[in-house]
Amino acid sequence: MSRIRSATSALEVNRRTVLAATAAVSLSAGVGYALRPTDSQAATNAADTAAAEAPVARSRQAPAAPLAPYTRGTTVASVAAARTATGFRRLGGGPGWRRVVRADLATPKTGRAGRRTALAAFVQLTDLHLIDTQHPLRLEYLRSTDVHAWRPQEALTVHGAIALVERINALRGGPVTGAPLHFAMTTGDNTDNNSKTELEWFLKVMSGGRISPNSGDPRHYEGVQNSGIKQYWQPDASVRDADKQRGFPHLDGFLAAAVREVNSPGLNLPWYSTVGNHDSLPLGTYASHADSYLTELAVGGRKLMTLSAAEAKKLQDSLKKDKDPTGSGVYRELLKAHARDMRSVTPDEKRAPFTPREYLQAHLDPAHRGVGPVGHGYSTANIDANTQYYSFRIADDVIGISLDTTDAGGHYEGSVGTAQLKWLDRTLKDNKDSYAIVFSHHTSKSMDNSRPDPARPGERRHSGAEVVALLGSHRNVLAWVNGHIHRNAITPHASAGGRSFWEISTASHVDYPQLARVVELVDNKDGTISLFTTCIESSAPHRTDFTDLSQTGLSALYRELSFNAPGGSTKLAGEARDRNTELVLRKG
């Protein structure tokens, strides 16, 4: 296996200058911020892969500069922490998280810090769950049986995501090496309801633009938070709702501010996209567009907001136990039975679910190009082949592979089809002289859904254990990076013959502690590789001001509300060994 040159960058380069030079760089070297749709190696279903042998897309590269480690703006320096102990707990700045060296798969050698060279660095975002909170198909009423089924912070997902983009833009490079960040990868559940409103918001958050996080009536909010229903936080109303009884504040003007237009600067580095179950399936669980009744309800003018605890538990059990994969059974019958209980809302065609083809087309839309690459990993070849997986070149000796682990047959757990598994094996073999980082939405333990894909009914589906076995058979695989479980977890995978890799799962940005993760790859020049992982929060201040309903103030409130969300898990940050780490591997 060849050894990569250090990928470093002069970070003070003016963004406008870089963008102006993009076209020339792309033409002369095939490298740059902006790439043609055909520059990604998209997957096809054919056994003969000649049609998929397009040049592999490259992430940003830049001139060398001195390496400069730092901690500012990362969780190594500081992490939001409670500064009050009872009632609605207020946040402030707390001590940072230490870095843990993990030797599960290889023994770290002394003196490596002085020898190492940087291979690549990138940022992972996952489970943004940008939520159209006024969408008629939302399941807020499950809160009557599960208090965490609806979260008080959900109206502020766009504000929080923009603050995360601002934090990434402010990073000076890899915190450990100072090497340039080659790209950002979002590993699925970018949207929440498989709604066109949410998809537009996501693409503008990532690539830049003005966003009105509102649907239905453009003049005001219409949803559970101004319904007067006491099981939901009513921030503007005098009603003594359940959350206010827990200490949640009364905030005049909150809902008007939450749906007010905001601006995202867009990421200042290339970004790639991986699909999740909430991006592919209505409500993240029902087979895509299998029932026209649900589509009609999504764009229509009626919304169910309350349900008895017994009925809510029956529906939740059907979701967890995968009893209604298309939504045409338990879910549809429940909605019909409660048609008279629904409240009037303003219809909106933009709330319609999007198809996989529309998801790809939206990524390829020039309006959402940002600093590239075109399609953000996806290409016209994906549209032609009806696939949502691809490979791309990260650096000279490092490739990235983005998988589609959603099962279109329904249910929130994942799997991959035989064609994709064979493509993954072939891609790793064809790039055996490059290190490989694999991305997906689902984790290895959340891929046990064997339901056939309706578009490929005769194709077998494969579990996470089978993917682990395949990845473990290739010496060049360093890491499998994913999300879905909303929790930080880092798992070592060892297999025969010394082949091993790390599975890196990162917490969501909708539930506290609302993190993303920087990953740096280095060659220690002693027969080992290290992967450094560093968690980051958004740019929002740790302290909130209830009178500040500006874009920044709301992004801070987003974090504090999530910290106080009733029923929320206190373990999503993971243990110290799952957060800021050095993960050591033997070279393949």
Side-chain angles (χ1 to χ4, degrees):
M1 184 180 293
S2 59
R3 294 291 173 254
I4 186 169
R5 296 183 296 275
S6 176
T8 54
S9 172
L11 295 172
E12 66 273 13
V13 174
N14 182 275
R15 181 171 180 265
R16 182 176 298 175
T17 302
V18 172
L19 290 174
T22 295
V25 174
S26 297
L27 287 172
S28 63
V31 179
Y33 285 87
L35 297 162
R36 299 176 297 278
T38 55
D39 280 337
S40 290
Q41 184 173 338
T44 69
N45 291 321
D48 181 1
T49 61
E53 297 299 331
V56 180
R58 287 181 180 264
S59 298
R60 178 178 63 178
Q61 294 184 348
L67 303 183
Y70 67 96
T71 62
R72 184 177 179 180
T74 76
T75 59
V76 177
S78 179
V79 184
R83 57 187 176 89
T84 58
T86 59
F88 185 89
R89 294 166 296 167
R90 309 304 300 276
L91 292 177
W97 292 330
R98 63 188 177 90
R99 191 173 302 281
V100 176
V101 178
R102 294 194 57 176
D104 311 52
L105 298 176
T107 302
K109 300 180 181 180
T110 58
R112 64 190 182 282
R115 295 188 299 268
R116 67 172 59 113
T117 58
L119 303 179
F122 62 88
V123 183
Q124 179 208 7
L125 306 80
T126 194
D127 296 85
L128 293 173
H129 284 279
L130 298 185
I131 299 174
D132 179 353
T133 58
Q134 301 170 80
H135 197 286
L137 289 186
R138 299 217 64 230
L139 304 175
E140 296 107 332
Y141 43 78
L142 291 181
R143 202 183 205 212
S144 62
T145 189
D146 176 0
V147 70
H148 197 61
W150 176 81
R151 315 171 186 92
Q153 72 267 22
E154 289 179 350
L156 301 179
T157 54
V158 169
H159 305 76
I162 292 173
L164 184 58
V165 165
E166 292 172 343
R167 166 63 67 206
I168 294 169
N169 287 349
L171 295 174
R172 289 165 28 205
V176 175
T177 66
L181 299 173
H182 283 64
F183 66 99
M185 170 65 81
T186 175
T187 52
D189 283 4
N190 309 306
T191 66
D192 190 70
N193 303 313
N194 178 240
S195 169
K196 290 181 180 178
T197 50
E198 297 166 345
L199 180 56
E200 180 182 1
W201 300 347
F202 161 67
L203 292 168
K204 286 186 176 181
V205 163
M206 298 293 283
S207 291
R210 302 203 67 82
I211 305 163
S212 294
N214 190 17
S215 65
D217 191 329
R219 298 167 298 179
H220 60 85
Y221 169 94
E222 299 174 310
V224 298
Q225 287 194 270
N226 67 350
S227 65
I229 301 171
K230 290 186 176 181
Q231 74 174 4
Y232 309 110
W233 179 44
Q234 308 290 302
D236 296 275
S238 59
V239 60
R240 185 72 172 162
D241 59 67
D243 287 335
K244 285 178 184 166
Q245 293 177 40
R246 298 180 178 102
F248 274 67
H250 174 93
L251 299 177
D252 284 323
F254 173 86
L255 291 175
V259 299
R260 190 169 55 218
E261 186 179 72
V262 292
N263 181 66
S264 173
L267 285 168
N268 63 5
L269 72 165
W271 65 272
Y272 290 81
S273 184
T274 293
V275 68
N277 55 294
H278 278 264
D279 304 314
S280 295
L281 310 176
L283 299 173
T285 192
Y286 293 130
S288 296
H289 325 110
D291 194 331
S292 60
Y293 172 77
L294 299 184
T295 299
E296 292 168 4
L297 196 61
V299 302
R302 306 288 289 172
K303 179 177 173 64
L304 184 62
M305 298 189 187
T306 58
L307 199 64
S308 70
E311 288 180 294
K313 187 176 189 310
K314 180 180 177 181
L315 176 58
Q316 189 176 62
D317 286 346
S318 78
L319 294 169
K320 289 183 176 180
K321 297 177 182 178
D322 193 20
K323 292 181 177 180
D324 186 23
T326 67
S328 59
V330 176
Y331 183 50
R332 177 173 177 169
E333 293 308 311
L334 181 143
L335 292 174
K336 286 191 170 183
H338 287 275
R340 292 187 177 181
D341 301 324
M342 294 183 181
R343 298 193 180 193
S344 295
V345 295
T346 302
D348 192 340
E349 291 290 333
K350 291 183 178 179
R351 290 175 178 149
F354 52 84
T355 65
R357 183 181 184 86
E358 289 171 329
Y359 187 73
L360 295 171
Q361 290 172 329
H363 279 76
L364 286 159
D365 187 337
H368 304 308
R369 177 170 168 171
V371 294
V374 170
H376 305 289
Y378 300 120
S379 71
T380 54
N382 286 115
I383 294 177
D384 294 341
N386 189 27
T387 59
Q388 290 182 291
Y389 46 96
Y390 58 90
S391 65
F392 63 105
R393 178 62 58 180
I394 294 174
D396 287 351
D397 281 359
V398 186
I399 65 163
I401 298 173
S402 173
L403 302 178
D404 173 9
T405 55
T406 295
D407 191 329
H411 195 42
Y412 54 83
E413 300 291 53
S415 59
V416 295
T418 298
Q420 183 176 184
L421 196 69
K422 288 182 177 179
W423 171 85
L424 173 60
D425 187 40
R426 187 167 60 247
T427 301
L428 290 169
K429 287 177 180 176
D430 291 346
N431 292 275
K432 63 181 183 297
D433 291 330
S434 292
Y435 295 119
I437 306 294
V438 177
F439 300 92
S440 73
H441 177 64
H442 291 88
T443 64
S444 60
K445 292 184 178 179
S446 60
M447 292 176 61
D448 55 6
N449 181 5
S450 60
R451 180 172 286 106
D453 180 347
R456 303 171 178 87
E459 184 184 50
R460 184 179 163 228
R461 303 293 295 185
H462 299 267
S463 69
E466 291 175 275
V467 175
V468 167
L470 188 150
L471 297 179
S473 70
H474 291 274
R475 291 185 179 276
N476 56 333
V477 175
L478 301 182
W480 180 4
V481 180
N482 50 44
H484 185 63
I485 58 175
H486 290 211
R487 183 178 72 252
N488 286 328
I490 297 179
T491 305
H493 291 289
S495 58
R499 296 176 175 89
S500 58
F501 66 93
W502 291 95
E503 183 173 357
I504 302 169
S505 308
T506 301
S508 77
H509 206 254
V510 68
D511 289 312
Y512 191 82
Q514 297 181 336
L515 302 173
R517 198 191 294 263
V518 180
V519 179
E520 300 169 78
L521 284 59
V522 304
D523 184 343
N524 293 319
K525 300 298 183 180
D526 59 9
T528 66
I529 297 286
S530 286
L531 289 80
F532 290 96
T533 72
T534 307
C535 293
I536 57 172
E537 300 173 296
S538 79
S539 65
H542 286 151
R543 286 179 177 252
T544 60
D545 178 351
F546 288 159
T547 66
D548 181 5
L549 298 181
S550 67
Q551 182 173 327
T552 298
L554 290 175
S555 65
L557 187 59
Y558 179 55
R559 182 192 291 126
E560 192 164 274
L561 290 172
S562 73
F563 179 68
N564 285 278
S569 173
T570 60
K571 299 179 179 181
L572 298 181
E575 303 294 333
R577 63 192 182 123
D578 301 311
R579 300 187 297 235
N580 301 330
T581 68
E582 179 186 357
L583 311 174
V584 186
L585 284 168
R586 289 191 296 273
K587 286 186 182 178

